[in-house]
PDB file of all heavy atoms in Angstrom:
ATOM      1  N   ASP A 651       6.067  22.082   1.494  1.00  0.00           N
ATOM      2  CA  ASP A 651       5.510  23.404   1.777  1.00  0.00           C
ATOM      3  C   ASP A 651       6.648  24.424   1.663  1.00  0.00           C
ATOM      4  O   ASP A 651       7.690  24.284   2.304  1.00  0.00           O
ATOM      5  CB  ASP A 651       4.909  23.425   3.188  1.00  0.00           C
ATOM      6  CG  ASP A 651       4.264  24.758   3.508  1.00  0.00           C
ATOM      7  OD1 ASP A 651       5.001  25.733   3.781  1.00  0.00           O
ATOM      8  OD2 ASP A 651       3.028  24.822   3.469  1.00  0.00           O
ATOM      9  N   ILE A 653       7.095  27.359   2.681  1.00  0.00           N
ATOM     10  CA  ILE A 653       7.498  28.125   3.870  1.00  0.00           C
ATOM     11  C   ILE A 653       8.263  27.234   4.838  1.00  0.00           C
ATOM     12  O   ILE A 653       9.359  27.588   5.301  1.00  0.00           O
ATOM     13  CB  ILE A 653       6.261  28.746   4.550  1.00  0.00           C
ATOM     14  CG1 ILE A 653       5.572  29.728   3.591  1.00  0.00           C
ATOM     15  CG2 ILE A 653       6.645  29.445   5.843  1.00  0.00           C
ATOM     16  CD1 ILE A 653       4.220  30.238   4.061  1.00  0.00           C
ATOM     17  N   LEU A 654       7.718  26.055   5.099  1.00  0.00           N
ATOM     18  CA  LEU A 654       8.335  25.174   6.096  1.00  0.00           C
ATOM     19  C   LEU A 654       9.673  24.620   5.604  1.00  0.00           C
ATOM     20  O   LEU A 654      10.579  24.365   6.390  1.00  0.00           O
ATOM     21  CB  LEU A 654       7.372  24.051   6.469  1.00  0.00           C
ATOM     22  CG  LEU A 654       6.028  24.523   7.040  1.00  0.00           C
ATOM     23  CD1 LEU A 654       5.189  23.353   7.520  1.00  0.00           C
ATOM     24  CD2 LEU A 654       6.222  25.529   8.185  1.00  0.00           C
ATOM     25  N   GLY A 672      12.014  33.812   7.005  1.00  0.00           N
ATOM     26  CA  GLY A 672      11.069  32.905   6.373  1.00  0.00           C
ATOM     27  C   GLY A 672       9.765  32.769   7.143  1.00  0.00           C
ATOM     28  O   GLY A 672       8.882  33.637   7.056  1.00  0.00           O
ATOM     29  N   VAL A 673       9.649  31.702   7.916  1.00  0.00           N
ATOM     30  CA  VAL A 673       8.373  31.376   8.555  1.00  0.00           C
ATOM     31  C   VAL A 673       7.925  32.505   9.505  1.00  0.00           C
ATOM     32  O   VAL A 673       8.747  33.200  10.104  1.00  0.00           O
ATOM     33  CB  VAL A 673       8.463  30.022   9.307  1.00  0.00           C
ATOM     34  CG1 VAL A 673       9.363  30.105  10.522  1.00  0.00           C
ATOM     35  CG2 VAL A 673       7.074  29.498   9.670  1.00  0.00           C
ATOM     36  N   GLY A 674       6.604  32.676   9.580  1.00  0.00           N
ATOM     37  CA  GLY A 674       6.036  33.774  10.361  1.00  0.00           C
ATOM     38  C   GLY A 674       6.045  33.520  11.855  1.00  0.00           C
ATOM     39  O   GLY A 674       5.039  33.129  12.437  1.00  0.00           O
ATOM     40  N   VAL A 675       7.192  33.733  12.457  1.00  0.00           N
ATOM     41  CA  VAL A 675       7.321  33.608  13.913  1.00  0.00           C
ATOM     42  C   VAL A 675       7.928  34.917  14.412  1.00  0.00           C
ATOM     43  O   VAL A 675       8.900  35.408  13.832  1.00  0.00           O
ATOM     44  CB  VAL A 675       8.235  32.408  14.270  1.00  0.00           C
ATOM     45  CG1 VAL A 675       8.565  32.401  15.756  1.00  0.00           C
ATOM     46  CG2 VAL A 675       7.561  31.101  13.881  1.00  0.00           C
ATOM     47  N   THR A 741      -4.763  27.111  11.364  1.00  0.00           N
ATOM     48  CA  THR A 741      -4.823  26.223  10.207  1.00  0.00           C
ATOM     49  C   THR A 741      -5.942  25.202  10.390  1.00  0.00           C
ATOM     50  O   THR A 741      -6.686  24.895   9.444  1.00  0.00           O
ATOM     51  CB  THR A 741      -3.476  25.488  10.006  1.00  0.00           C
ATOM     52  OG1 THR A 741      -2.438  26.455   9.979  1.00  0.00           O
ATOM     53  CG2 THR A 741      -3.469  24.687   8.725  1.00  0.00           C
ATOM     54  N   TRP A 767      -1.882  32.902   1.263  1.00  0.00           N
ATOM     55  CA  TRP A 767      -1.031  31.979   2.024  1.00  0.00           C
ATOM     56  C   TRP A 767      -1.035  30.634   1.296  1.00  0.00           C
ATOM     57  O   TRP A 767      -2.120  30.097   1.005  1.00  0.00           O
ATOM     58  CB  TRP A 767      -1.625  31.840   3.431  1.00  0.00           C
ATOM     59  CG  TRP A 767      -0.849  31.009   4.387  1.00  0.00           C
ATOM     60  CD1 TRP A 767       0.488  31.079   4.657  1.00  0.00           C
ATOM     61  CD2 TRP A 767      -1.383  29.977   5.241  1.00  0.00           C
ATOM     62  NE1 TRP A 767       0.817  30.165   5.622  1.00  0.00           N
ATOM     63  CE2 TRP A 767      -0.305  29.475   5.995  1.00  0.00           C
ATOM     64  CE3 TRP A 767      -2.654  29.442   5.436  1.00  0.00           C
ATOM     65  CZ2 TRP A 767      -0.462  28.461   6.937  1.00  0.00           C
ATOM     66  CZ3 TRP A 767      -2.817  28.436   6.373  1.00  0.00           C
ATOM     67  CH2 TRP A 767      -1.732  27.956   7.115  1.00  0.00           C
ATOM     68  N   PRO A 768       0.135  30.092   0.948  1.00  0.00           N
ATOM     69  CA  PRO A 768       0.159  28.885   0.104  1.00  0.00           C
ATOM     70  C   PRO A 768      -0.650  27.725   0.676  1.00  0.00           C
ATOM     71  O   PRO A 768      -1.216  26.922  -0.075  1.00  0.00           O
ATOM     72  CB  PRO A 768       1.649  28.523   0.037  1.00  0.00           C
ATOM     73  CG  PRO A 768       2.393  29.736   0.452  1.00  0.00           C
ATOM     74  CD  PRO A 768       1.484  30.597   1.259  1.00  0.00           C
ATOM     75  N   ASN A 769      -0.726  27.641   2.012  1.00  0.00           N
ATOM     76  CA  ASN A 769      -1.454  26.512   2.595  1.00  0.00           C
ATOM     77  C   ASN A 769      -2.965  26.610   2.369  1.00  0.00           C
ATOM     78  O   ASN A 769      -3.654  25.596   2.393  1.00  0.00           O
ATOM     79  CB  ASN A 769      -1.125  26.377   4.088  1.00  0.00           C
ATOM     80  CG  ASN A 769      -1.308  24.967   4.595  1.00  0.00           C
ATOM     81  OD1 ASN A 769      -1.241  23.997   3.839  1.00  0.00           O
ATOM     82  ND2 ASN A 769      -1.574  24.833   5.881  1.00  0.00           N
ATOM     83  N   ASN A 820      -1.204  38.017   4.304  1.00  0.00           N
ATOM     84  CA  ASN A 820      -0.072  37.107   4.163  1.00  0.00           C
ATOM     85  C   ASN A 820      -0.157  36.465   2.779  1.00  0.00           C
ATOM     86  O   ASN A 820      -1.098  35.728   2.519  1.00  0.00           O
ATOM     87  CB  ASN A 820      -0.194  36.030   5.260  1.00  0.00           C
ATOM     88  CG  ASN A 820       0.903  34.978   5.202  1.00  0.00           C
ATOM     89  OD1 ASN A 820       1.816  35.067   4.405  1.00  0.00           O
ATOM     90  ND2 ASN A 820       0.794  33.976   6.071  1.00  0.00           N
ATOM     91  N   ALA A 850      -5.392  35.681  11.417  1.00  0.00           N
ATOM     92  CA  ALA A 850      -4.268  35.002  12.076  1.00  0.00           C
ATOM     93  C   ALA A 850      -3.355  35.975  12.815  1.00  0.00           C
ATOM     94  O   ALA A 850      -2.473  35.547  13.554  1.00  0.00           O
ATOM     95  CB  ALA A 850      -3.459  34.229  11.045  1.00  0.00           C
ATOM     96  N   TYR A 851      -3.562  37.283  12.608  1.00  0.00           N
ATOM     97  CA  TYR A 851      -2.584  38.256  13.123  1.00  0.00           C
ATOM     98  C   TYR A 851      -3.240  39.424  13.841  1.00  0.00           C
ATOM     99  O   TYR A 851      -2.700  40.539  13.841  1.00  0.00           O
ATOM    100  CB  TYR A 851      -1.718  38.770  11.960  1.00  0.00           C
ATOM    101  CG  TYR A 851      -0.914  37.672  11.311  1.00  0.00           C
ATOM    102  CD1 TYR A 851      -1.417  36.960  10.226  1.00  0.00           C
ATOM    103  CD2 TYR A 851       0.330  37.310  11.806  1.00  0.00           C
ATOM    104  CE1 TYR A 851      -0.704  35.923   9.649  1.00  0.00           C
ATOM    105  CE2 TYR A 851       1.054  36.282  11.232  1.00  0.00           C
ATOM    106  CZ  TYR A 851       0.532  35.599  10.156  1.00  0.00           C
ATOM    107  OH  TYR A 851       1.252  34.566   9.592  1.00  0.00           O
ATOM    108  N   LYS A 883       0.028  33.689  17.024  1.00  0.00           N
ATOM    109  CA  LYS A 883       0.902  34.853  16.943  1.00  0.00           C
ATOM    110  C   LYS A 883       0.615  35.841  18.067  1.00  0.00           C
ATOM    111  O   LYS A 883       1.527  36.282  18.756  1.00  0.00           O
ATOM    112  CB  LYS A 883       0.737  35.544  15.578  1.00  0.00           C
ATOM    113  CG  LYS A 883       0.590  34.604  14.386  1.00  0.00           C
ATOM    114  CD  LYS A 883       1.881  33.954  14.040  1.00  0.00           C
ATOM    115  CE  LYS A 883       2.001  33.073  12.848  1.00  0.00           C
ATOM    116  NZ  LYS A 883       1.172  32.294  12.128  1.00  0.00           N
ATOM    117  N   ARG A 891      -1.113  25.040  19.526  1.00  0.00           N
ATOM    118  CA  ARG A 891      -2.143  24.831  18.500  1.00  0.00           C
ATOM    119  C   ARG A 891      -3.512  25.293  18.998  1.00  0.00           C
ATOM    120  O   ARG A 891      -4.379  24.482  19.358  1.00  0.00           O
ATOM    121  CB  ARG A 891      -2.196  23.356  18.053  1.00  0.00           C
ATOM    122  CG  ARG A 891      -0.875  22.764  17.655  1.00  0.00           C
ATOM    123  CD  ARG A 891      -0.081  23.623  16.687  1.00  0.00           C
ATOM    124  NE  ARG A 891      -0.767  23.899  15.433  1.00  0.00           N
ATOM    125  CZ  ARG A 891      -0.766  25.099  14.850  1.00  0.00           C
ATOM    126  NH1 ARG A 891      -0.147  26.133  15.393  1.00  0.00           N
ATOM    127  NH2 ARG A 891      -1.391  25.265  13.721  1.00  0.00           N
ATOM    128  N   MET A 983       3.272  40.970   9.943  1.00  0.00           N
ATOM    129  CA  MET A 983       4.597  40.360   9.959  1.00  0.00           C
ATOM    130  C   MET A 983       5.279  40.395   8.604  1.00  0.00           C
ATOM    131  O   MET A 983       6.497  40.352   8.523  1.00  0.00           O
ATOM    132  CB  MET A 983       4.451  38.885  10.344  1.00  0.00           C
ATOM    133  CG  MET A 983       4.640  38.620  11.786  1.00  0.00           C
ATOM    134  SD  MET A 983       4.624  36.836  12.008  1.00  0.00           S
ATOM    135  CE  MET A 983       5.306  36.771  13.617  1.00  0.00           C
ATOM    136  N   PHE A 984       4.469  40.433   7.541  1.00  0.00           N
ATOM    137  CA  PHE A 984       5.049  40.194   6.225  1.00  0.00           C
ATOM    138  C   PHE A 984       4.962  41.390   5.290  1.00  0.00           C
ATOM    139  O   PHE A 984       4.071  42.223   5.402  1.00  0.00           O
ATOM    140  CB  PHE A 984       4.331  39.017   5.545  1.00  0.00           C
ATOM    141  CG  PHE A 984       4.309  37.783   6.387  1.00  0.00           C
ATOM    142  CD1 PHE A 984       3.105  37.264   6.847  1.00  0.00           C
ATOM    143  CD2 PHE A 984       5.485  37.165   6.746  1.00  0.00           C
ATOM    144  CE1 PHE A 984       3.087  36.130   7.635  1.00  0.00           C
ATOM    145  CE2 PHE A 984       5.486  36.028   7.540  1.00  0.00           C
ATOM    146  CZ  PHE A 984       4.273  35.510   7.984  1.00  0.00           C
ATOM    147  N   VAL A1006      10.834  33.723   1.571  1.00  0.00           N
ATOM    148  CA  VAL A1006      10.059  32.830   0.695  1.00  0.00           C
ATOM    149  C   VAL A1006      10.304  33.242  -0.764  1.00  0.00           C
ATOM    150  O   VAL A1006      10.563  34.421  -1.056  1.00  0.00           O
ATOM    151  CB  VAL A1006       8.556  32.890   1.074  1.00  0.00           C
ATOM    152  CG1 VAL A1006       7.748  31.892   0.245  1.00  0.00           C
ATOM    153  CG2 VAL A1006       8.358  32.587   2.565  1.00  0.00           C
ATOM    154  N   ARG A1010       8.385  37.187  -0.113  1.00  0.00           N
ATOM    155  CA  ARG A1010       7.770  37.544   1.160  1.00  0.00           C
ATOM    156  C   ARG A1010       8.833  37.437   2.251  1.00  0.00           C
ATOM    157  O   ARG A1010       9.547  36.443   2.330  1.00  0.00           O
ATOM    158  CB  ARG A1010       6.640  36.561   1.498  1.00  0.00           C
ATOM    159  CG  ARG A1010       5.947  36.919   2.807  1.00  0.00           C
ATOM    160  CD  ARG A1010       5.128  35.782   3.382  1.00  0.00           C
ATOM    161  NE  ARG A1010       5.918  34.907   4.234  1.00  0.00           N
ATOM    162  CZ  ARG A1010       5.393  33.989   5.057  1.00  0.00           C
ATOM    163  NH1 ARG A1010       4.085  33.824   5.109  1.00  0.00           N
ATOM    164  NH2 ARG A1010       6.171  33.218   5.799  1.00  0.00           N
TER     165      ARG A1010
HETATM  166  C1  LIG B 930       3.538  31.642   7.834  1.00  0.00           C
HETATM  167  O1  LIG B 930       2.839  31.985   6.870  1.00  0.00           O
HETATM  168  O2  LIG B 930       4.770  31.705   7.824  1.00  0.00           O
HETATM  169  C2  LIG B 930       2.865  31.146   9.082  1.00  0.00           C
HETATM  170  O3  LIG B 930       1.499  31.230   8.963  1.00  0.00           O
HETATM  171  C3  LIG B 930       3.336  29.802   9.479  1.00  0.00           C
HETATM  172  C4  LIG B 930       2.853  28.724   8.578  1.00  0.00           C
HETATM  173  O4  LIG B 930       2.297  27.767   9.102  1.00  0.00           O
HETATM  174  O5  LIG B 930       3.020  28.820   7.355  1.00  0.00           O
END
Side-chain angles (χ1 to χ4, degrees):
D651 182 284
I653 298 171
L654 301 186
V673 69
V675 171
T741 308
W767 184 49
N769 206 25
N820 178 4
Y851 298 91
K883 320 287 185 333
R891 309 311 301 138
M983 265 186 165
F984 306 116
V1006 184
R1010 181 197 88 167

